[in-house]
Amino acid sequence: MHKILSVENLSKVFYTKEGEIKAIDKVSFDVNKNDFICIVGSSGCGKSTLLNIIAGLDKPSNGNITFYKKNTIIGYMLQEDALLPYLTILDNALLGLEIKKIKTKENIEYVKNLLTTYGLKDFMNKYPKELSGGMKQRVA
């Protein structure tokens, strides 16, 4: 097996006026190449907290995360689509390229092809408020 990620004894505690809240308590697992991982649990059990920590958006209270490949990039879909309401679907999809200053003709065509693949070809010039929730998720 080719290990790509290890999570060891990961814990996260949040502090509120009412006291301590353990969002995650001593979670451990490995992810190997070609693994398909599903994180399932009831609302408030720490799924998003776990993903936020793995993606580097939050820090654990305890434990370790090891990536076995240098410069590993983690991406995941947030619960909210985070589209900018004043940009078209195409402009939202191109925003990352624009920020990185790599919005070339080739990259624009690539994004248009992706939108077509995801069934959004006819919605490229629409705005997020004009799309269903699932369509917004695909754009994001």
Side-chain angles (χ1 to χ4, degrees), residues 5 7 10 29 49-56 58 65 67 74:
L5 168 70
V7 174
L10 199 70
F29 62 91
T49 300
L50 174 63
L51 291 172
N52 285 339
I53 293 170
I54 292 171
D58 201 356
I65 297 174
F67 294 100
I74 298 292

Side-chain angles (χ1 to χ4, degrees), residues 6-41:
S6 285
V7 174
E8 301 171 68
N9 294 314
L10 199 70
S11 297
K12 178 65 178 181
V13 177
F14 291 102
Y15 297 94
T16 68
K17 290 179 184 178
E18 291 79 34
E20 244 181 39
I21 298 172
K22 282 187 181 179
I24 301 173
D25 191 25
K26 299 177 186 168
V27 172
S28 296
F29 62 91
D30 293 325
V31 179
N32 296 297
K33 185 175 181 180
N34 297 323
D35 279 355
F36 181 86
I37 304 298
C38 185
I39 301 170
V40 180

Side-chain angles (χ1 to χ4, degrees), residues 4-5 7-8 18 27 30 47 50 56-57 66 73-75 78 81 83 87 94 98 105:
I4 59 173
L5 168 70
V7 174
E8 301 171 68
E18 291 79 34
V27 172
D30 293 325
K47 301 179 300 288
L50 174 63
L57 300 174
T66 305
I73 297 172
I74 298 292
L78 301 170
D81 56 62
L83 298 176
L87 293 179
L94 293 171
E98 196 168 315
K105 285 183 182 180

Side-chain angles (χ1 to χ4, degrees), residues 96-108:
L97 296 173
E98 196 168 315
I99 290 169
K100 288 186 154 191
K101 299 190 185 325
I102 55 172
K103 189 174 160 184
T104 64
K105 285 183 182 180
E106 295 82 17
N107 286 342
I108 292 169

Side-chain angles (χ1 to χ4, degrees), residues 81 128 131-139:
D81 56 62
L131 274 62
S132 70
M135 294 167 91
K136 290 183 209 176
Q137 291 280 335
R138 291 196 305 263
V139 174

Side-chain angles (χ1 to χ4, degrees), residues 105-122:
K105 285 183 182 180
E106 295 82 17
N107 286 342
I108 292 169
E109 282 307 308
Y110 181 75
V111 169
K112 286 180 177 180
N113 286 332
L114 284 175
L115 290 172
T116 298
T117 298
Y118 295 132
L120 297 165
K121 178 181 179 182
D122 297 333

Side-chain angles (χ1 to χ4, degrees), residues 73-92:
I73 297 172
I74 298 292
Y76 77 98
M77 184 63 198
L78 301 170
Q79 290 178 5
E80 298 295 322
D81 56 62
L83 298 176
L84 297 174
Y86 51 86
L87 293 179
T88 65
I89 297 313
L90 179 59
D91 289 338
N92 267 289

